[in-house]
Structures are given as structure tokens and as C-alpha cells.
Amino acid sequence: SNNDSSVSGFKFTASVWDKSGKADLLGAALEKNYLKSSGLDLATFISPKMEYYYAFNYKRFRHSVDPKTPAVIFELGFLSNQKNRQFLLNHPDKAAIGLSKGIEQFFNTK
């Protein structure tokens, strides 16, 4: 959500602690497929809170993502934006298809 209801789109970032070297490839596959499936634009602002998401911080949290596992945090849209909210509420299948196709593409990439 955002206080400015005109802010729209989806966004993601890879773990700053990624040691797999593949998190950016995962993000690119998700971006391509979610863009196609959702019709939403890519929001480019990434906050430090996303980049340093606690679930990535293996040094501090015991149950975080292993740094050798490709990981991204992916925000599907802004609930504060009417277009994004309507998409997420009325077409969850399209959101899921975009994500699942992105994951399939990532695993099929050699």
C-alpha cells in the first residue's frame, strides 16, 4: 500500500545476501511472466526494507532463506491503487499464472 493512490505496479528485488548467483535470473523470469499475465507496469522504486528483507538475513534469523537458495521478494501490486486492487481481487488466477510461469521458466533455464 502507499499513501499516494496513484502509485501503481508490481516490483521485486533479489536478496542482497544471495550467494547462488541466480536470484537475478529468478527475478527476471518472474518479471517477464508477471508483466505479461497481469498487464500491470513495473514499479521501479525499491526501498532498503525490500533489499534487506528479514527473511533473507541468514546472519540474524535462523529460519531465513539459505543464501545459496535463489530468492526474491515480489510485491504483486498496490492495494491503495484502484486498478491494482481490482486486478488482485478479481483476477488472482492471472497473478498466480504469471508467477508460476516465471518459476517454471527459471527452472527450465540452463
Side-chain angles (χ1 to χ4, degrees):
S1 190
N2 192 297
N3 292 332
D4 180 355
S5 63
S6 70
V7 175
S8 175
F10 67 94
K11 59 184 177 173
F12 69 93
T13 190
S15 168
V16 296
W17 291 286
D18 177 54
K19 294 187 192 270
S20 72
K22 296 182 180 178
D24 288 332
L25 292 173
L26 173 59
L30 289 169
E31 175 186 340
K32 175 185 173 187
N33 288 278
Y34 193 77
L35 181 66
K36 186 187 308 182
S37 181
S38 71
L40 298 178
D41 293 325
L42 178 65
T44 57
F45 174 73
I46 304 298
S47 71
K49 287 182 181 180
M50 282 184 70
E51 292 178 320
Y52 292 90
Y53 184 56
Y54 78 93
F56 296 150
N57 191 345
Y58 71 98
K59 293 178 182 178
R60 185 165 178 207
F61 297 102
R62 188 167 134 200
H63 299 292
S64 65
V65 176
D66 187 281
K68 294 178 190 156
T69 302
V72 299
I73 180 171
F74 198 99
E75 296 186 357
L76 305 175
F78 288 87
L79 294 176
S80 53
N81 178 280
Q82 184 177 357
K83 178 185 174 188
N84 290 198
R85 184 175 55 254
Q86 290 305 313
F87 168 73
L88 292 168
L89 292 174
N90 296 326
H91 304 286
D93 54 326
K94 289 183 180 181
I97 287 168
L99 293 174
S100 63
K101 285 184 182 271
I103 293 167
E104 285 177 26
Q105 179 183 332
F106 171 74
F107 282 117
N108 289 325
T109 303
K110 299 204 183 238

